[in-house]
Amino acid sequence: MFFLSLFAGFCANAQEISITSGDTEADEGPGNPASFTITRTPPNNAFNSTVTYSIGGTTESGLDYTFIAPAAPNNNSVVLSQAQPSATISTNDIISIIDDSLVEGLETIVITLETVNFGFISPTQNTVTLNLADNDGIFTVSTVAAAAEQGSAAGSFTVNLDKEVAPGVTVSLPYLLEGTAATTDYTVGGQIGTLTFPAGPPQPNIISITPVDDDIVENDETVLLTLQAPSASGGRGGGFVVNQLGTDNRTITIADNDVGTFSVQTTDADAAEVAPGQTANGGRFVVNL
């Protein structure tokens, strides 16, 4: 009996339990689940190992998913044996991901090995992080394209987000203003450089472009809006859709109101033909703007 217990203890100490994932990406809804694999090595031990694991991460039960019985936040289990030394588990086996209409950004599902009754948990491969991609959040742009120096008539860009932002989340959308107009040709109203969309129902963000009425004769000039990659707060990343269409749909043209007057002055009205080799005697006009 002593030797049997000693043998069992030796076998248990030799069994390492680890967790890995070959597919860490999941989407809202059941169509594209992620998965993880719990493995016992070496695989040919006669004793079974019952492994428990927990489910955590930035996702929340009841908001982002519901548990499929008997799964729970803790004490989920799988039995590894000589016949089945590893088990691959799909997220669809343990949770039902909620396809909501909230803008949340990228979220995580963290699977952590907790206990094993026969063997030991790997100190370096005891957790995996699965990513849950959001399928909500489309940005669009509308433009008041005409602006003028006369009366400093402003043009504007209005940027909209189509759905409500989730509680505790802020979505940031950086942008660039380019075009032929210099930054000294206009002033910018609204949020500068980055638009923010806080939690709650979506509100439009307006960027106004007010021309500076200078005294410089110049061509009509343009201001081009380019939206960049959005991101959600709390390290949630992006994955949003930006529909900014072509440049014509996000360009403001500033009309110049300065008209130049040209004048001509004759500074030397006398000109004469000269013989070859003599100094030329030309007339002269000066044109001023």
Side-chain angles (χ1 to χ4, degrees), residues 22 162 187 190 202 243 247:
D162 66 329
T187 60
N243 286 340
T247 58

Side-chain angles (χ1 to χ4, degrees), residues 1-11 47:
M1 190 69 173
F2 169 76
F3 290 105
L4 182 59
S5 298
L6 184 64
F7 175 73
F10 173 79
C11 291
F47 297 92

Side-chain angles (χ1 to χ4, degrees), residues 15-22 36-41 51-53 80 110-116 120-129:
Q15 298 297 298
E16 182 177 32
I17 312 299
S18 61
I19 184 171
T20 57
S21 176
F36 57 94
T37 300
I38 300 175
T39 303
R40 182 177 78 170
T41 53
V51 184
T52 65
Y53 61 90
L80 305 179
V110 178
I111 310 297
T112 303
L113 300 180
E114 298 292 347
T115 64
V116 60
F120 68 96
I121 294 174
S122 169
T124 58
Q125 289 183 295
N126 52 32
T127 185
V128 294
T129 298

Side-chain angles (χ1 to χ4, degrees), residues 82-254:
Q82 187 173 20
Q84 182 182 316
S86 67
T88 297
I89 301 168
S90 166
T91 51
N92 282 353
D93 297 331
I94 53 176
I95 59 174
S96 178
I97 297 173
I98 298 172
D99 188 2
D100 57 32
S101 297
L102 294 174
V103 178
E104 301 159 297
L106 187 72
E107 298 178 285
T108 60
I109 303 168
V110 178
I111 310 297
T112 303
L113 300 180
E114 298 292 347
T115 64
V116 60
N117 69 334
F118 191 84
F120 68 96
I121 294 174
S122 169
T124 58
Q125 289 183 295
N126 52 32
T127 185
V128 294
T129 298
L130 311 177
N131 296 318
L132 176 59
D134 192 14
N135 61 355
D136 301 295
I138 299 176
F139 292 92
T140 56
V141 179
S142 59
T143 304
V144 177
E149 288 186 5
Q150 182 70 39
S152 296
S156 64
F157 303 106
T158 300
V159 181
N160 290 288
L161 179 58
D162 66 329
K163 294 181 180 178
E164 182 174 343
V165 179
V169 177
T170 298
V171 178
S172 299
L173 176 62
Y175 68 88
L176 295 175
L177 294 176
E178 301 170 297
T180 61
T183 56
T184 54
D185 291 321
Y186 59 89
T187 60
V188 181
Q191 299 180 35
I192 307 298
T194 298
L195 304 176
T196 57
F197 296 81
Q203 300 293 326
N205 257 309
I206 299 175
I207 306 167
S208 63
I209 303 297
T210 303
V212 174
D213 190 1
D214 55 31
D215 294 321
I216 301 172
V217 178
E218 52 198 346
N219 292 325
D220 291 350
E221 297 173 298
T222 60
V223 180
L224 170 66
L225 172 69
T226 301
L227 301 179
Q228 298 186 296
S231 62
S233 59
R236 291 169 175 256
F240 305 102
V241 177
V242 178
N243 286 340
Q244 55 186 349
L245 304 177
T247 58
D248 290 346
N249 296 285
R250 45 192 172 88
T251 297
I252 291 173
T253 300
I254 300 174

